[in-house]
Amino acid sequence: EAQVTQNPRYLITVTGKKLTVTCSQNMNHEYMSWYRQDPGLGLRQIYYSMNVEVTDKGDVPEGYKVSRKEKRNFPLILESPSPNQTSLYFCASSLSPSGADTQYFGPGTRLTVL
Amino acid sequence: RKEVEQDPGPFNVPEGATVAFNCTYSNSASQSFFWYRQDCRKEPKLLMSVYSSGNEDGRFTAQLNRASQYISLLIRDSKLSDSATYLCARDRGSTLGRLYFGRGTQLTVWP
């Protein structure tokens, strides 16, 4: 089944404790992206990648890191999480490297930082 | 200035009604536009892509008006299952890889 998977789905952590949210797609998509969704603010792009080893900042990259060592995986790293990073996170992938194509979203990761 | 603006609603309509949402955007260089549907606490899923003047898929019609810089979504004969949040999105023109999403319009269809 073609899909985007994220892990964990739910996470409660404390300020400053490094964490990684994994994202994997099995559709051989070139493009992958991370978004966060907050009430009243909608979906905001954090980072995106148009190809292996190619990543770039979105609208809200501060406090996040990403890597794209393999086509299928695009982990999101929070080196020192803070309460303002409490949010619902979505990973997405798209066949077109530009991302201007159907985006397939993962199920979301609900993160709470205390 | 918001890059993509949507009326957040909520829109509450009876079954069978026709409802329309608009989404205005600020970058005339955008080429690709989309409507996504998002159920509560779930991931967004593509409803329709809008690449030219518009397209139709069953009860759903999306239109693009480049002169006035807006896209619209028309839902005819609303069903209870249409209740969701509808997000519009656009590319960023010359900046590949970056997409703007609207904040979403909430629709509730009641029996």
Side-chain angles (χ1 to χ4, degrees), chain B residues 2-109:
Chain B
K2 298 187 180 67
E3 300 292 345
V4 177
E5 286 220 48
Q6 288 185 255
D7 182 344
F11 285 68
N12 298 304
V13 302
E15 265 188 300
T18 295
V19 61
F21 310 134
N22 277 347
C23 176
T24 59
Y25 62 94
S26 59
N27 187 339
S28 61
S30 292
Q31 295 297 316
S32 303
F33 302 85
F34 310 90
W35 282 103
Y36 283 81
R37 172 197 168 120
Q38 184 174 26
D39 294 298
C40 187
R41 297 176 179 272
K42 297 285 186 69
E43 72 272 25
K45 292 185 179 177
L46 182 72
L47 181 64
M48 300 182 79
S49 303
V50 190
Y51 292 109
S52 55
S53 61
N55 55 336
E56 185 173 323
D57 182 5
R59 298 183 293 109
F60 299 86
T61 300
Q63 291 193 313
L64 168 62
N65 185 317
R66 288 193 182 275
S68 301
Q69 294 188 195
Y70 74 85
I71 61 172
S72 63
L73 178 67
L74 182 75
I75 305 175
R76 289 180 297 277
D77 189 22
S78 299
K79 311 290 184 193
L80 296 177
S81 57
D82 293 335
S83 297
T85 296
Y86 292 84
L87 309 171
C88 66
R90 66 166 179 87
D91 68 22
R92 299 199 186 187
S94 59
T95 306
L96 297 180
R98 300 187 67 180
L99 295 176
Y100 281 116
F101 280 83
R103 298 180 183 187
T105 298
Q106 187 179 340
L107 171 67
T108 299
V109 181

Side-chain angles (χ1 to χ4, degrees), chain A residues 60-97:
Chain A
V60 287
E62 296 78 20
Y64 304 95
K65 284 174 59 177
V66 293
S67 67
R68 187 94 182 273
K69 294 185 171 56
E70 309 164 278
K71 188 185 258 192
R72 63 181 292 127
N73 295 323
F74 190 44
L76 179 70
I77 303 157
L78 285 71
E79 294 271 3
S80 183
S82 62
N84 64 12
Q85 292 178 298
T86 292
S87 188
L88 177 58
Y89 291 87
F90 289 106
C91 178
S93 73
S94 171
L95 182 62
S96 165

